[in-house]
Amino acid sequence: MLNPVLRQIDLANGLTLVGLLLSTFSSIFAIQGQFYIALICLIYAGIIDLFDGFVARKIERTELQSQVGKQIDSIVDVCSFGCTPVVFAYCFGLRDPLSVAVLMVYISAVAMRLAYFNCAGLSSQGTEQYFTGLPTTYAALFIPLTCLASFALSEPLMKMVLDSLYLALAIAMVADFKMLKLRGIWYGIFSLAALVGTVVYGWAIAVGL
């Protein structure tokens, strides 16, 4: 019989762990300088984070599995959308003092945003639910989208763009604004965006860019 810890790995929690593995591979590929593969892994870490909550709501699970799921989801989010983007940016070349400061602000914002969400949760207005600030998962959308500019921009200019992006993401994550929790058709839209990103970066890998 499985021990009490491993018994908490249901389908939803297992998906969350797969997302963690993907973001870990993203960091490893970034360290190796294989940035396009790293971005693809980051994209799918984000897609899995989008769907594991949906799966959790659809399956039958124990109260303990549900509580463990909330904890592991937050821990994985710090790793996948906090640490991994920082490793990616640093390996990409954001190593000057200003860039490092931006990355430290970014990962601090990720941690604070997740801690606040764990305590405050979603707010509701009618039938709609809202996040306070930008969810950390959106890093897995905006970073790969922004990196498409690397096909056209010089490396120094691309680094400036990434500095600006990471700072903007950090500010948005801790900003006091309400953001609608997306659902329904948006799952399909994000999945399509992931497929497009995979095709573009896969093509770049195939042609040796």
Side-chain angles (χ1 to χ4, degrees), residues 6-19 48 51-61 65 69:
L6 297 181
R7 280 202 297 270
Q8 310 318 312
I9 304 178
D10 58 5
L11 180 58
N13 292 343
L15 277 175
T16 304
L17 290 175
V18 171
I48 285 178
F51 279 95
D52 61 1
F54 174 81
V55 171
R57 292 188 294 272
K58 296 298 182 180
I59 64 174
E60 184 177 342
R61 59 202 319 224
Q65 286 173 332

Tab-separated table of all heavy atoms in Angstrom, residues 6-19 48 51-61 65 69:
chain	number	residue	atom	x	y	z
A	6	LEU	N	2.224	9.603	-0.865
A	6	LEU	CA	1.994	9.244	-2.262
A	6	LEU	C	0.522	9.014	-2.573
A	6	LEU	O	0.106	9.141	-3.734
A	6	LEU	CB	2.810	7.992	-2.615
A	6	LEU	CG	4.333	8.150	-2.531
A	6	LEU	CD1	5.025	6.858	-2.930
A	6	LEU	CD2	4.807	9.298	-3.415
A	7	ARG	N	-0.287	8.702	-1.564
A	7	ARG	CA	-1.716	8.507	-1.800
A	7	ARG	C	-2.414	9.806	-2.204
A	7	ARG	O	-3.546	9.780	-2.687
A	7	ARG	CB	-2.392	7.934	-0.542
A	7	ARG	CG	-2.194	6.443	-0.373
A	7	ARG	CD	-3.281	5.844	0.512
A	7	ARG	NE	-3.267	6.370	1.862
A	7	ARG	CZ	-2.573	5.856	2.877
A	7	ARG	NH1	-1.817	4.782	2.679
A	7	ARG	NH2	-2.629	6.389	4.083
A	8	GLN	N	-1.749	10.924	-2.027
A	8	GLN	CA	-2.362	12.216	-2.375
A	8	GLN	C	-2.182	12.560	-3.852
A	8	GLN	O	-2.697	13.571	-4.333
A	8	GLN	CB	-1.782	13.337	-1.503
A	8	GLN	CG	-1.779	13.051	-0.009
A	8	GLN	CD	-3.048	12.401	0.480
A	8	GLN	OE1	-4.153	12.846	0.162
A	8	GLN	NE2	-2.922	11.339	1.270
A	9	ILE	N	-1.458	11.706	-4.587
A	9	ILE	CA	-1.237	11.977	-6.010
A	9	ILE	C	-2.413	11.417	-6.805
A	9	ILE	O	-2.402	10.275	-7.254
A	9	ILE	CB	0.090	11.368	-6.508
A	9	ILE	CG1	1.258	11.878	-5.661
A	9	ILE	CG2	0.321	11.733	-7.976
A	9	ILE	CD1	2.596	11.288	-6.053
A	10	ASP	N	-3.461	12.217	-6.930
A	10	ASP	CA	-4.563	11.868	-7.816
A	10	ASP	C	-4.273	12.468	-9.196
A	10	ASP	O	-3.171	12.967	-9.448
A	10	ASP	CB	-5.900	12.354	-7.244
A	10	ASP	CG	-5.930	13.864	-7.014
A	10	ASP	OD1	-4.951	14.557	-7.392
A	10	ASP	OD2	-6.925	14.361	-6.461
A	11	LEU	N	-5.238	12.418	-10.113
A	11	LEU	CA	-4.999	12.906	-11.473
A	11	LEU	C	-4.624	14.383	-11.488
A	11	LEU	O	-3.688	14.796	-12.189
A	11	LEU	CB	-6.239	12.671	-12.335
A	11	LEU	CG	-6.139	13.129	-13.798
A	11	LEU	CD1	-4.976	12.444	-14.500
A	11	LEU	CD2	-7.454	12.849	-14.533
A	12	ALA	N	-5.335	15.197	-10.711
A	12	ALA	CA	-5.071	16.642	-10.706
A	12	ALA	C	-3.691	16.948	-10.131
A	12	ALA	O	-2.919	17.718	-10.710
A	12	ALA	CB	-6.147	17.367	-9.909
A	13	ASN	N	-3.365	16.348	-8.997
A	13	ASN	CA	-2.060	16.597	-8.380
A	13	ASN	C	-0.932	16.021	-9.226
A	13	ASN	O	0.169	16.571	-9.274
A	13	ASN	CB	-2.022	16.024	-6.966
A	13	ASN	CG	-2.937	16.769	-6.020
A	13	ASN	OD1	-3.365	17.892	-6.305
A	13	ASN	ND2	-3.281	16.160	-4.898
A	14	GLY	N	-1.215	14.906	-9.906
A	14	GLY	CA	-0.218	14.350	-10.815
A	14	GLY	C	0.073	15.294	-11.969
A	14	GLY	O	1.233	15.472	-12.370
A	15	LEU	N	-0.980	15.916	-12.502
A	15	LEU	CA	-0.782	16.907	-13.564
A	15	LEU	C	0.065	18.074	-13.078
A	15	LEU	O	0.946	18.560	-13.801
A	15	LEU	CB	-2.135	17.419	-14.064
A	15	LEU	CG	-2.853	16.573	-15.107
A	15	LEU	CD1	-4.231	17.161	-15.394
A	15	LEU	CD2	-2.049	16.483	-16.390
A	16	THR	N	-0.202	18.522	-11.873
A	16	THR	CA	0.575	19.632	-11.310
A	16	THR	C	2.053	19.269	-11.238
A	16	THR	O	2.928	20.089	-11.546
A	16	THR	CB	0.057	20.001	-9.912
A	16	THR	OG1	-1.337	20.301	-9.989
A	16	THR	CG2	0.786	21.219	-9.367
A	17	LEU	N	2.339	18.028	-10.842
A	17	LEU	CA	3.728	17.573	-10.775
A	17	LEU	C	4.360	17.485	-12.161
A	17	LEU	O	5.548	17.784	-12.326
A	17	LEU	CB	3.802	16.211	-10.075
A	17	LEU	CG	3.511	16.215	-8.575
A	17	LEU	CD1	3.485	14.792	-8.030
A	17	LEU	CD2	4.540	17.050	-7.823
A	18	VAL	N	3.578	17.105	-13.168
A	18	VAL	CA	4.099	17.090	-14.539
A	18	VAL	C	4.479	18.509	-14.961
A	18	VAL	O	5.514	18.728	-15.608
A	18	VAL	CB	3.055	16.499	-15.517
A	18	VAL	CG1	3.502	16.698	-16.965
A	18	VAL	CG2	2.854	15.014	-15.241
A	19	GLY	N	3.658	19.490	-14.574
A	19	GLY	CA	4.000	20.881	-14.856
A	19	GLY	C	5.314	21.281	-14.205
A	19	GLY	O	6.121	22.009	-14.802
A	48	ILE	N	-0.567	23.207	-18.491
A	48	ILE	CA	-0.938	22.235	-17.466
A	48	ILE	C	-1.481	22.939	-16.231
A	48	ILE	O	-2.463	22.495	-15.619
A	48	ILE	CB	0.265	21.339	-17.119
A	48	ILE	CG1	0.491	20.334	-18.250
A	48	ILE	CG2	0.047	20.609	-15.787
A	48	ILE	CD1	1.663	19.425	-18.055
A	51	PHE	N	-5.049	23.737	-16.756
A	51	PHE	CA	-6.009	22.638	-16.789
A	51	PHE	C	-6.065	21.808	-15.515
A	51	PHE	O	-7.046	21.093	-15.311
A	51	PHE	CB	-5.697	21.716	-17.978
A	51	PHE	CG	-6.236	22.222	-19.281
A	51	PHE	CD1	-5.433	22.961	-20.139
A	51	PHE	CD2	-7.548	21.981	-19.647
A	51	PHE	CE1	-5.925	23.433	-21.343
A	51	PHE	CE2	-8.048	22.449	-20.848
A	51	PHE	CZ	-7.247	23.180	-21.702
A	52	ASP	N	-5.043	21.865	-14.657
A	52	ASP	CA	-5.094	20.986	-13.481
A	52	ASP	C	-6.227	21.377	-12.532
A	52	ASP	O	-6.860	20.512	-11.906
A	52	ASP	CB	-3.748	20.920	-12.754
A	52	ASP	CG	-3.269	22.258	-12.214
A	52	ASP	OD1	-3.983	23.267	-12.371
A	52	ASP	OD2	-2.167	22.293	-11.627
A	53	GLY	N	-6.515	22.676	-12.445
A	53	GLY	CA	-7.645	23.108	-11.625
A	53	GLY	C	-8.973	22.639	-12.204
A	53	GLY	O	-9.880	22.239	-11.463
A	54	PHE	N	-9.078	22.673	-13.535
A	54	PHE	CA	-10.282	22.186	-14.202
A	54	PHE	C	-10.486	20.698	-13.912
A	54	PHE	O	-11.599	20.257	-13.583
A	54	PHE	CB	-10.161	22.419	-15.710
A	54	PHE	CG	-11.270	21.826	-16.526
A	54	PHE	CD1	-12.484	22.478	-16.639
A	54	PHE	CD2	-11.092	20.621	-17.177
A	54	PHE	CE1	-13.519	21.930	-17.395
A	54	PHE	CE2	-12.114	20.067	-17.923
A	54	PHE	CZ	-13.333	20.721	-18.032
A	55	VAL	N	-9.408	19.931	-14.003
A	55	VAL	CA	-9.482	18.496	-13.722
A	55	VAL	C	-9.865	18.259	-12.267
A	55	VAL	O	-10.689	17.388	-11.956
A	55	VAL	CB	-8.137	17.809	-14.046
A	55	VAL	CG1	-8.128	16.365	-13.547
A	55	VAL	CG2	-7.867	17.853	-15.544
A	56	ALA	N	-9.283	19.060	-11.366
A	56	ALA	CA	-9.567	18.891	-9.937
A	56	ALA	C	-11.046	19.072	-9.632
A	56	ALA	O	-11.594	18.410	-8.744
A	56	ALA	CB	-8.735	19.882	-9.131
A	57	ARG	N	-11.690	19.956	-10.371
A	57	ARG	CA	-13.120	20.201	-10.138
A	57	ARG	C	-14.002	19.099	-10.719
A	57	ARG	O	-15.170	18.981	-10.344
A	57	ARG	CB	-13.527	21.559	-10.730
A	57	ARG	CG	-12.917	22.745	-10.007
A	57	ARG	CD	-13.503	24.054	-10.508
A	57	ARG	NE	-13.155	24.337	-11.890
A	57	ARG	CZ	-12.058	24.974	-12.279
A	57	ARG	NH1	-11.186	25.392	-11.365
A	57	ARG	NH2	-11.822	25.215	-13.564
A	58	LYS	N	-13.451	18.292	-11.616
A	58	LYS	CA	-14.249	17.282	-12.302
A	58	LYS	C	-14.115	15.884	-11.697
A	58	LYS	O	-14.972	15.030	-11.947
A	58	LYS	CB	-13.846	17.222	-13.782
A	58	LYS	CG	-14.133	18.516	-14.558
A	58	LYS	CD	-15.622	18.830	-14.590
A	58	LYS	CE	-15.906	20.090	-15.396
A	58	LYS	NZ	-17.358	20.413	-15.433
A	59	ILE	N	-13.053	15.628	-10.951
A	59	ILE	CA	-12.828	14.284	-10.441
A	59	ILE	C	-13.254	14.176	-8.982
A	59	ILE	O	-13.399	15.183	-8.276
A	59	ILE	CB	-11.344	13.867	-10.573
A	59	ILE	CG1	-10.447	14.766	-9.713
A	59	ILE	CG2	-10.908	13.891	-12.034
A	59	ILE	CD1	-8.997	14.313	-9.682
A	60	GLU	N	-13.431	12.942	-8.547
A	60	GLU	CA	-13.751	12.691	-7.145
A	60	GLU	C	-12.443	12.553	-6.379
A	60	GLU	O	-11.580	11.768	-6.761
A	60	GLU	CB	-14.574	11.408	-7.008
A	60	GLU	CG	-15.031	11.120	-5.602
A	60	GLU	CD	-15.911	9.890	-5.520
A	60	GLU	OE1	-16.435	9.474	-6.572
A	60	GLU	OE2	-16.060	9.343	-4.413
A	61	ARG	N	-12.291	13.307	-5.305
A	61	ARG	CA	-11.049	13.277	-4.525
A	61	ARG	C	-11.376	13.483	-3.062
A	61	ARG	O	-12.422	14.032	-2.710
A	61	ARG	CB	-10.068	14.340	-5.039
A	61	ARG	CG	-10.591	15.749	-4.983
A	61	ARG	CD	-9.883	16.713	-5.944
A	61	ARG	NE	-8.460	16.572	-6.051
A	61	ARG	CZ	-7.604	17.591	-6.061
A	61	ARG	NH1	-8.047	18.837	-5.910
A	61	ARG	NH2	-6.318	17.388	-6.207
A	65	GLN	N	-6.633	15.183	-0.319
A	65	GLN	CA	-6.078	15.376	-1.664
A	65	GLN	C	-6.342	16.788	-2.165
A	65	GLN	O	-5.484	17.392	-2.811
A	65	GLN	CB	-6.680	14.349	-2.623
A	65	GLN	CG	-6.151	12.942	-2.444
A	65	GLN	CD	-6.883	11.933	-3.289
A	65	GLN	OE1	-8.056	12.122	-3.620
A	65	GLN	NE2	-6.211	10.855	-3.662
A	69	GLY	N	-3.525	19.482	-2.861
A	69	GLY	CA	-3.501	20.080	-4.193
A	69	GLY	C	-3.320	21.582	-4.152
A	69	GLY	O	-2.572	22.152	-4.950
